[in-house]
């Protein structure tokens, strides 16, 4: 009887995973390294050296503002978006612990997590529109005319608009996890610090932050993985423009795949994207396995 | 873990391997089966076409008329680019057809040409078509035709019945892969007559007068910029740009840019940009790019003075009678283009689809041009009197000046370059200093003759 | 001492509420745009309180045969429901195996599942596309459902396993000693315990599938088969975009995930937290 149970409990799910996840992943890697003539690095070299602004991974003639190429745009996204997500997440989670009406605030912040990406993309367009958007209006009140325009149509600001928009979307995740992390901190450590006469700020930095290290690691890695895969908000809000100044890896993979039908190149971009994702994923897996012990 | 359990584990793993192998084998079998089935289908359809051809020949011998309307009810799915009001205008064409063909049920679906070009090739490759009659870009129809996905309609329409050059767009050798429907024009800058009267403005007779007109409009209270810049996925900017190139480089330049004979880095091209267009952008005569339907509303409300747009704008304003336009004074040609429709080889009802296609190419055009669609027929047998009145004047203004009708630059080149062109112009509009890098980028990917 | 604390609390709360209000503004703008004629929004801004409010945009978006949002909703519901049920079932089985069955290569399997969790979607579409084209699953909702289902299995497995770890293994052991079969153990002991996990995983998976755009764009080409996200993104005419309609459509599209979120909020939050905090 046990054998049958093995079959159902273990092999049925594994067979499904085999056909729809494992096989396609391997096949994509193979596709990216093959051409009509057999094994070759041709597709990988071609996508990395592509010069057209709408498809370039690394733009050959970088100027003072984008386009710099999708790889660089993704890196920039991590460099700007990640600290914002982590910092705002910690601070908000900490402040929300003792605030009145924290449930309502949490709900609003979490809203971005449940929006379909397409709707988020539209919302980002709204946010940064010169006539009806919050940000341009804010800057025109402050008298900063350079930023009182529609952000998504200028190469200087299109990518930044998307990055800030993505923080708006993703902050809910960060706040939720940090809140859980704060709840898990034993009260006794904080009480001891209060008895020692520490100020709230000191408590935050000396007692709480060190204990949030593992949680911060998870938020960081998850956020990086999420940023690397971003597609729909870019597709809807800017389509990668103007002048290719807001392209990202996932969008370029789709461009090769859908409009040009260049499967090998699309597979090469996907493989590069997957390799990049493996770095944070590997670290995350390591932390999970460490927690298992 | 007991002995028994260990044994069971081994058995289970063995079974797992076997089942995976079986699954793989089943997949392979299924694939080969499906391919042989599709081979069979291909053979059957080949047989069917040869029989059809035979019947056609026989019926020609007998001097029979066109295919009679189908006796049993059929359903056609028509995919076209129109949504909202435009879709209502097209519905009028469908309704006219249904009057004479009560057995044909027609479902209309909206899908823009760029989406059609993006999603259908993959489907055709798999031998499926989401519609029976589909509208798409001419270059793309020819490309798909060459790959064998589209029904050749050379026997269906008579080329000489159409405005010269229109059918050539969908021809490959002696094969015709699509039929032309009605035509739009991109004739010039539109303005409200009441606005021009109120501020004592008049149509310019030269480039200098054009610039001083812009300067006058700039001084009017409430005006943000003299010219509204529309932005779809970049195309209304490409239209203004082409209009400048045609006006100051001549109609032939447009054709040479399309063929790639003249490069974008050519001094003639650069001069037009540098001396005529870019100064106007730099001086803020053009607004920054605004989502183009939004721009219609704003321009109509007086935030902008003039707006370059195609003839479809006539159907988008509250009062078409208050509408007039002027081309750039030196222009001797304007861009015009037809929508093209085709029948994919994978249509489930090819006969009914072809009959509707023929209607679209002929009488259907008259219906479409008689409603406020902002279109004129490409079919020469339609009379000017049948046109919607505001379009009659457009027709006369362009035809009366003896202007040539030219194909659209980026629609003709198509493909990735079109997207690049749009995207680069978006860049130029907000950053006119980038002119030389824009031209260089455009030239690098421009097709060679 | 007490009083200063509560004063600070009030201050912090006020600051947070202001922050939340600002945070919600883009969303409010979207709602207002969907309730007003678009010409009013662009000429007067959505923050002007006056003007005409109506549900006209919603009615038109739902009724217009050209937008055909209803069909999009139908397809999205079919896909999201099926793609929630199947993987939750499969993942429960797998999580159970990982927790209570002994077999060789368990750790390897666990690590592979963690890897599968983090692979980008772009990594699987091309071969599957070719496969589907051969076996006739292209442009079929079933094809999309199978893919979404398989794609959901790894992370839900991990998620469930985290929950199962909380159950003392002695419970299961004693049941085994009593001679209960694995199925009985599953039904009697584990199901009640992991119900919250199932709810949380289902809610997250449903929301995720509902919002997916990439897979749908690749595998569904016919307008008839489009899911709601595709309709929202692609519903622009050649010469006509009505932002009022578009906003109304967008709001309609986010109602289902919003309802699910509101109904299962506490599960959701616990689920996300479970991601980070090991047992």
């Amino acid at each position: 009887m046990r054998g049958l149970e093995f079959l159902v409990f273990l092999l049925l799910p594994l067979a499904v995973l085999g056909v729809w996840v494992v096989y396609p992943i391997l096949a994509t890697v193979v596709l990216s390294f093959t051409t009509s003539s057999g094994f070759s690095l041709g597709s990988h070299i071609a996508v990395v050296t592509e010069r057209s602004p709408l498809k370039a991974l690394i733009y050959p003639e970088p100027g003072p503002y984008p386009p710099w190429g999708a790889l660089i745009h993704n890196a920039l996204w991590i460099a700007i978006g990640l600290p914002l997500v982590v910092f705002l997440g910690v601070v908000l989670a900490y402040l929300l612990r003792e605030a009145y009406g924290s449930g309502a605030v949490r709900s609003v912040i979490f809203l971005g997590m449940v929006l379909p990406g397409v709707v988020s993309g539209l919302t980002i367009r709204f946010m940064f529109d010169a006539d009806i958007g919050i940000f341009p209006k804010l800057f025109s009140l402050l008298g900063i005319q350079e930023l009182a325009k529609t952000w998504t149509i200028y190469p200087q600001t299109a990518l930044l608009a998307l990055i800030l928009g993505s923080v708006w979307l993703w902050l809910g995740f960060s706040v939720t996890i940090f809140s859980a992390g704060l709840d898990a901190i034993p009260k006794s450590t904080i009480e001891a610090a209060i008895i020692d006469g520490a100020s709230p700020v000191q408590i935050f930095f000396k007692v709480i932050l060190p204990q949030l290290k593992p949680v911060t690691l998870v938020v960081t890695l998850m956020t990086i993985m999420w940023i690397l895969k971003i597609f729909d908000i870019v597709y809807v809000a800017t389509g990668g423009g103007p002048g290719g100044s807001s392209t990202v890896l996932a969008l370029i993979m789709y461009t090769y795949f859908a409009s040009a039908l260049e499967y090998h190149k699309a597979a090469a971009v996907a493989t590069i994207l997957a390799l990049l994702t493996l770095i944070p994923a590997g670290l995350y897996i390591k932390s999970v396995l460490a927690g298992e012990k | 873990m007991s002995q028994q359990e260990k044994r069971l584990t081994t058995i289970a793993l063995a079974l797992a391997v076997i089942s995976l192998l079986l699954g793989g084998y089943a997949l392979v079998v299924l694939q080969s089966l499906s391919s042989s089935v599709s081979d069979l289908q291909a053979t059957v359809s080949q047989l069917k076409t040869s029989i059809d051809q035979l019947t056609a020949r026989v019926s020609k011998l007998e001097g029979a008329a066109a295919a009679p309307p189908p006796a049993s009810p059929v359903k056609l799915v028509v995919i076209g680019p129109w949504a909202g009001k435009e879709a209502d205008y097209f519905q009028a064409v469908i309704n006219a057809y249904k009057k004479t063909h009560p057995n044909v049920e027609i479902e209309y679906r909206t899908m823009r040409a760029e989406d059609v070009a993006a999603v259908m090739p993959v489907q055709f490759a798999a031998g499926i078509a989401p519609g029976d009659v589909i509208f798409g870009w001419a270059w793309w129809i020819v490309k798909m035709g060459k790959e064998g996905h589209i029904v050749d309609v050379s026997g269906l329409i008579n080329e000489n019945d159409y405005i010269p050059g229109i059918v050539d767009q969908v021809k490959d050798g002696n094969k015709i892969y699509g039929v032309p429907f009605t035509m739009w024009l991109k004739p010039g800058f539109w303005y409200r007559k009441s606005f021009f009267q109120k501020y004592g403005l008049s149509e310019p007779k030269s480039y200098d007068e054009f610039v001083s007109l812009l300067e006058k409009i700039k001084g009017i209270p409430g005006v943000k910029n003299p010219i509204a810049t529309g932005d779809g996925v970049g195309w209304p900017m490409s239209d203004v740009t082409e209009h400048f190139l045609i006006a100051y480089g001549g109609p032939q330049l447009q054709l040479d840019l399309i063929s790639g004979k003249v490069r974008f880095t050519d001094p003639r091209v650069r001069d037009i940009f540098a001396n005529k267009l870019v100064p106007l952008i730099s001086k803020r005569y053009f607004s920054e790019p605004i989502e183009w339907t939004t721009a219609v509303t704003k321009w109509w409300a007086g935030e902008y003075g003039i707006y370059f747009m195609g003839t479809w704008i006539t159907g988008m304003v509250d009062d078409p009678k208050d509408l007039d336009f002027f081309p750039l004074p030196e222009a001797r040609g304007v861009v015009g283009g037809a929508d093209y429709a085709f029948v994919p080889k994978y249509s489930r009802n090819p006969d009914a689809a072809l009959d509707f296609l023929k209607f679209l190419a002929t009488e259907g055009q008259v219906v479409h041009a008689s409603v406020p669609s902002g279109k004129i027929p490409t079919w020469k047998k339609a009379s000017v009197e049948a046109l919607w009145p505001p379009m009659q004047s457009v027709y006369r203004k362009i035809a009366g000046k003896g202007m040539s009708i030219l194909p659209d630059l980026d629609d003709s080149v198509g493909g990735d370059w079109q997207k690049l062109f749009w995207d680069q112009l978006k860049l130029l509009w907000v950053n006119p200093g980038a002119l030389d890098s824009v031209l260089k980028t455009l030239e690098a990917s421009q097709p060679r003759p | 001492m007490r009083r200063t604390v509560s004063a600070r609390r009030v201050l912090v709360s006020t600051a947070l509420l202001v922050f939340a209000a600002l945070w919600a503004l883009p969303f409010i703008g979207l709602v207002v745009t969907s309730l007003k004629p678009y010409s009013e929004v662009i000429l007067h801004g959505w923050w002007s309180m006056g003007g005409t409010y109506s549900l006209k945009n919603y009615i038109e978006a739902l009724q217009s045969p050209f937008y055909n949002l209803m069909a999009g909703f139908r397809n999205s519901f079919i896909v999201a429901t099926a793609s929630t049920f199947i993987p939750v079932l499969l993942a429960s089985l797998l999580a159970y195996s990982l927790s209570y069955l002994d077999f060789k290569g368990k750790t390897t399997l666990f690590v592979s599942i963690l890897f599968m969790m983090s692979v980008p979607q772009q990594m699987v579409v091309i071969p599957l596309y070719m496969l589907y084209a051969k076996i006739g699953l292209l442009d079929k909702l079933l094809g999309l459902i199978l893919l979404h289902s398989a794609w959901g299995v790894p992370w839900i497995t991990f998620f469930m396993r985290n929950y199962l770890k909380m159950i003392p293994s002695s419970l299961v052991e004693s049941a085994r000693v009593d001679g209960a079969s694995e199925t009985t153990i599953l039904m009697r002991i584990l199901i009640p315990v992991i119900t919250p996990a199932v709810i949380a995983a289902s809610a997250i998976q449903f929301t995720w599938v509902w919002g997916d755009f990439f897979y749908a764009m690749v595998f569904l080409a016919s307008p008839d088969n489009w899911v709601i996200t595709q309709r929202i993104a692609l519903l622009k005419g050649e010469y006509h975009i009505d932002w009022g309609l578009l906003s109304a459509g967008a709001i309609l599209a986010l109602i289902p995930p919003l309802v699910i979120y509101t109904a299962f909020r506490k599960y959701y939050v616990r689920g996300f937290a479970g991601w980070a905090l090991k047992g």
Side-chain angles (χ1 to χ4, degrees):
Chain A
M1 202 54 225
R2 279 280 151 99
L4 182 71
E5 276 167 348
F6 257 109
L7 219 94
V8 173
F9 279 67
L10 190 57
L11 300 179
L12 179 72
L14 285 188
V16 172
L17 284 179
V19 175
W20 274 278
V21 184
V22 179
Y23 152 73
I25 290 173
L26 296 177
T28 301
V29 176
V30 171
L31 260 179
S32 77
F33 285 111
T34 47
T35 51
S36 46
S37 58
F39 175 86
S40 113
L41 284 169
S43 301
H44 286 266
I45 293 167
V47 297
V48 173
T49 54
E50 172 67 46
R51 305 174 65 87
S52 168
L54 280 176
K55 289 195 221 158
L57 294 193
I58 300 167
Y59 197 58
E61 302 143 11
Y65 49 82
W68 292 325
L71 259 173
I72 315 290
H73 297 166
N74 275 105
L76 221 92
W77 204 309
I78 293 169
I80 299 172
L82 179 64
L84 279 174
V85 167
V86 172
F87 172 77
L88 282 174
V90 174
V91 171
L92 283 170
Y94 184 67
L95 293 178
L96 278 168
R97 276 186 336 152
E98 52 168 38
Y100 300 106
S102 64
V105 178
R106 268 181 227 273
S107 295
V108 167
I109 295 173
F110 202 80
L111 194 63
M113 288 296 296
V114 281
L115 293 191
V118 179
V119 179
S120 317
L122 278 177
T123 316
I124 291 172
R125 264 178 86 156
F126 267 30
M127 263 193 245
F128 293 98
D129 183 282
D131 292 303
I132 52 182
I134 321 281
F135 281 88
K137 277 277 173 260
L138 186 73
F139 284 107
S140 85
L141 287 178
L142 295 173
I144 306 171
Q145 284 312 312
E146 293 79 55
L147 294 176
K149 301 167 171 168
T150 301
W151 286 35
T152 45
I153 60 171
Y154 287 87
Q156 294 89 335
T157 45
L159 186 64
L160 195 62
L162 289 172
I163 294 175
L164 293 176
S166 72
V167 171
W168 181 75
L169 292 177
W170 191 243
L171 190 64
F173 172 79
S174 162
V175 169
T176 306
I177 296 209
F178 276 120
S179 294
L182 285 170
D183 290 345
I185 292 175
K187 290 268 183 294
S188 55
T189 55
I190 299 170
E191 276 156 14
I194 290 174
I195 289 163
D196 292 346
S199 70
V201 177
Q202 275 178 320
I203 292 176
F204 180 72
F205 281 102
K206 293 268 160 66
V207 182
I208 292 179
L209 272 190
Q211 299 194 65
L212 281 180
K213 251 201 191 126
V215 183
T216 311
L217 181 71
V218 170
V219 172
T220 302
L221 297 174
M222 286 277 184
T223 305
I224 292 176
M225 286 193 249
W226 183 74
I227 289 174
L228 284 172
K229 299 171 193 175
I230 274 177
F231 166 77
D232 37 18
I233 61 172
V234 182
Y235 184 96
V236 174
T238 66
S245 60
S246 61
T247 52
V248 289
L249 285 168
L251 185 73
I252 285 180
M253 182 268 164
Y254 184 76
T255 306
Y256 277 123
F257 173 75
S259 65
L261 298 184
E262 301 185 81
Y263 298 140
H264 294 287
K265 285 186 181 175
V269 178
T271 309
I272 292 168
L273 177 59
L275 281 175
L276 290 173
T277 316
L278 276 185
I279 302 164
L283 290 168
Y284 176 69
I285 291 167
K286 234 174 88 174
S287 84
V288 169
L289 291 176
E292 293 284 311
K293 297 222 164 60
Chain B
M1 190 141 178
S2 64
Q3 279 294 71
Q4 196 196 2
E5 283 200 2
K6 271 195 182 132
R7 217 175 39 238
L8 284 172
T9 317
T10 340
I11 293 170
L13 279 175
L15 277 172
V17 170
I18 291 168
S19 67
L20 271 179
L21 285 176
L22 276 175
Y25 176 72
L27 272 181
V28 171
V29 170
L30 265 178
Q31 282 179 27
S32 61
L33 255 177
S34 69
S35 68
S36 55
V37 166
S38 62
D39 283 351
L40 210 92
Q41 278 175 337
T43 329
V44 169
S45 69
Q46 270 173 3
L47 262 173
K48 210 169 157 264
T49 31
S50 44
I51 291 174
D52 284 350
Q53 280 168 352
L54 269 174
T55 358
R57 269 190 218 146
V58 171
S59 65
K60 262 192 196 137
L61 287 177
E62 291 173 357
S72 55
V74 279
K75 188 181 139 184
L76 292 178
V77 174
V78 177
I79 296 178
W82 304 286
K85 270 190 205 164
E86 299 165 331
D88 297 338
Y89 303 142
F90 185 66
Q91 194 63 43
V93 179
I94 294 175
N95 295 345
Y97 182 75
K98 276 185 179 165
K99 271 190 194 132
T100 50
H101 299 73
N103 268 337
V104 183
E105 188 197 337
I106 296 179
E107 267 189 35
Y108 172 71
R109 297 258 178 280
T110 301
M111 205 167 168
R112 291 175 307 162
E114 57 248 49
D115 297 325
V116 167
V119 300
M120 288 205 194
V122 222
Q123 288 194 283
F124 290 171
I128 35 179
D132 302 292
V133 173
I134 303 173
F135 282 86
W137 285 317
W139 65 267
W140 182 80
I141 294 176
V142 172
K143 184 171 171 252
M144 289 294 115
K146 280 182 183 165
E147 289 173 18
H149 300 301
I150 289 176
V151 178
D152 173 16
V153 295
S154 44
L156 199 71
I157 55 169
N158 181 356
E159 263 185 275
N160 303 326
D161 293 346
Y162 293 88
I163 289 178
I166 285 284
V167 179
D168 295 341
Q169 301 280 321
V170 278
K171 261 183 90 166
D172 177 43
N174 55 5
K175 286 201 163 79
I176 301 177
Y177 288 116
V179 301
F181 190 52
T182 48
M183 180 166 73
W184 40 260
L185 294 169
K186 297 173 179 172
F189 294 92
W190 298 85
Y191 61 89
R192 288 187 70 168
K193 289 178 193 165
S194 54
F195 181 88
F196 266 43
Q197 273 161 8
K198 189 174 167 187
Y199 297 106
L201 307 169
S202 57
E203 294 184 8
K205 301 278 178 291
S206 66
Y207 180 78
D208 294 337
E209 276 187 34
F210 179 61
V211 177
S212 62
L213 168 73
L214 297 179
E215 194 53 41
K216 273 184 211 151
I217 297 175
K218 201 175 180 171
I220 292 169
V223 168
K224 288 186 180 170
N225 307 81
I227 313 173
T229 306
D231 168 33
V233 274
W235 58 262
M237 279 174 257
S238 59
D239 297 338
V240 184
T241 307
E242 286 173 49
H243 192 66
F244 271 83
L245 289 169
I246 295 165
Y248 301 108
Q252 190 54 42
L253 179 68
Q254 174 86 346
L255 300 174
D256 291 342
L257 280 169
I258 290 172
S259 67
K261 200 154 68 180
V262 171
R263 314 301 296 168
F264 261 87
T265 44
D266 190 294
R268 275 192 302 156
V269 176
R270 194 188 176 281
D271 283 351
I272 297 169
F273 272 99
N275 304 331
K276 296 287 197 290
L277 182 60
V278 170
L280 303 184
I281 299 173
S282 305
K283 283 188 201 142
R284 296 286 172 89
Y285 287 137
F286 280 97
S287 75
E288 59 174 35
I290 313 161
E291 194 282 310
W292 76 272
T293 47
T294 306
V296 173
T297 313
K298 289 167 164 288
W299 155 76
W300 195 254
E303 290 185 19
Y304 305 98
I306 57 178
Y307 188 21
F308 190 97
M309 190 41 68
T311 45
W312 51 85
I313 199 169
T314 49
M316 295 178 68
V317 297
D318 298 337
D319 178 15
K321 288 193 205 69
D322 192 25
L323 200 58
D324 210 343
F325 78 97
F326 61 87
L328 280 172
E330 294 84 350
R332 295 188 308 285
V334 293
V335 169
D339 285 303
Y340 292 91
F342 67 94
V343 172
K345 276 200 179 150
Y346 317 107
S347 161
R348 293 209 184 91
N349 297 301
D351 297 343
L354 284 170
D355 189 67
F356 182 64
L357 194 73
K358 185 173 178 150
F359 175 79
L360 284 180
T362 53
E363 295 298 333
Q365 289 204 37
V366 184
V367 179
H368 199 231
S370 66
V371 291
S373 62
K375 300 285 177 77
I376 54 177
T378 53
W379 188 50
K380 287 194 295 202
K381 292 184 176 178
S383 70
V384 179
E385 283 67 44
L387 299 188
W388 182 50
M391 288 310 295
Q392 293 183 21
S393 62
V394 171
Y395 196 72
R396 293 199 176 102
K397 229 173 181 170
I398 297 293
K401 289 189 175 174
M403 289 202 190
S404 42
I405 308 255
L406 297 159
D408 186 279
L409 171 61
D410 52 273
D411 284 353
S412 309
V413 177
D416 274 358
W417 190 85
Q418 180 173 39
K419 278 199 179 133
L420 184 76
F421 186 49
W422 288 343
D423 199 39
Q424 288 296 311
L425 287 177
K426 271 183 160 172
L427 185 67
L428 181 70
W429 240 260
V430 296
N431 186 4
L435 175 62
D436 283 303
S437 101
V438 165
L439 294 178
K440 218 173 88 186
T441 307
L442 290 177
E443 195 276 335
S445 310
Q446 201 184 348
R448 305 243 162 225
Chain C
M1 183 72 204
R2 270 271 162 86
R3 211 171 299 154
T4 56
V5 168
S6 73
R8 205 185 72 217
R9 231 181 119 172
V10 170
L11 196 72
V12 166
S13 309
T14 318
L16 282 174
L17 285 172
V18 169
F19 174 84
L22 285 174
W23 206 248
L25 270 183
F27 186 71
I28 295 166
L30 192 70
V31 174
V32 174
T33 307
S34 72
L35 291 169
K36 280 185 174 180
Y38 189 59
S39 55
E40 275 184 33
V41 173
I42 48 184
L43 295 176
H44 310 296
W46 51 263
W47 46 80
S48 69
M49 288 299 164
T52 35
Y53 288 85
S54 73
L55 291 173
K56 199 176 126 304
N57 284 327
Y58 287 89
I59 293 161
E60 199 172 329
L62 281 173
Q63 288 190 335
S64 160
F66 310 119
Y67 289 83
N68 206 352
L69 286 184
M70 287 319 261
F73 271 112
R74 194 194 56 226
N75 294 337
S76 275
F77 268 113
I78 293 170
V79 172
T81 313
S83 308
T84 302
F85 182 75
I86 301 171
V88 166
L89 186 79
L90 289 175
S92 307
L93 298 176
L94 202 51
Y96 178 86
S97 319
L98 280 172
S99 304
Y100 302 113
L101 296 181
D102 277 315
F103 53 91
K104 279 201 182 69
K106 204 159 126 172
T107 316
T108 318
L109 176 62
F110 181 56
V111 173
S112 336
I113 282 178
L114 288 175
F115 266 109
M116 288 183 210
M117 244 171 72
S118 41
V119 171
Q121 287 173 286
Q122 284 73 18
M123 206 55 200
V124 296
V125 290
I126 306 167
L128 282 178
Y129 191 91
M130 294 171 173
L131 182 70
Y132 277 17
K134 279 197 185 117
I135 60 178
L137 275 176
L138 262 197
D139 205 16
K140 298 261 195 308
L141 294 185
L142 177 65
L144 192 65
I145 289 169
L146 290 170
L147 172 57
H148 271 308
S149 299
W151 200 244
V153 169
W155 79 260
I156 301 175
T157 303
F158 177 62
F159 192 90
M160 294 280 188
R161 190 177 156 283
N162 284 346
Y163 262 87
L164 288 173
K165 278 178 84 87
M166 296 181 204
I167 303 168
S169 56
S170 55
L171 255 181
V172 180
E173 290 304 319
S174 60
R176 280 212 181 124
V177 170
D178 296 345
S181 72
E182 295 294 339
T183 322
T184 324
I185 293 174
L186 185 78
M187 300 299 292
R188 290 284 160 77
I189 302 171
L190 304 173
I191 295 270
V193 179
I194 60 165
T195 303
V198 170
I199 294 175
S202 304
I204 296 171
Q205 171 74 359
F206 186 95
T207 309
W208 194 87
V209 175
W210 182 273
D212 165 75
F213 177 62
F214 181 74
Y215 280 160
M217 280 291 284
V218 171
F219 290 102
L220 300 179
S222 309
D224 282 348
N225 289 335
W226 281 354
V227 293
I228 195 79
T229 46
Q230 283 170 290
R231 288 181 183 274
I232 300 298
L234 300 173
L235 264 178
K236 300 168 186 166
E238 185 179 19
Y239 313 121
H240 182 93
I241 300 173
D242 187 328
W243 287 90
L245 280 182
L246 213 56
S247 321
I251 303 273
L252 288 170
L254 67 84
I255 287 175
L258 202 62
V259 167
I260 285 181
Y261 167 63
T262 331
F264 302 114
R265 220 187 99 207
K266 61 172 201 280
Y267 294 109
Y268 238 104
V269 170
R270 218 189 302 168
F272 268 112
W275 219 289
L277 309 166
K278 298 135 210 124

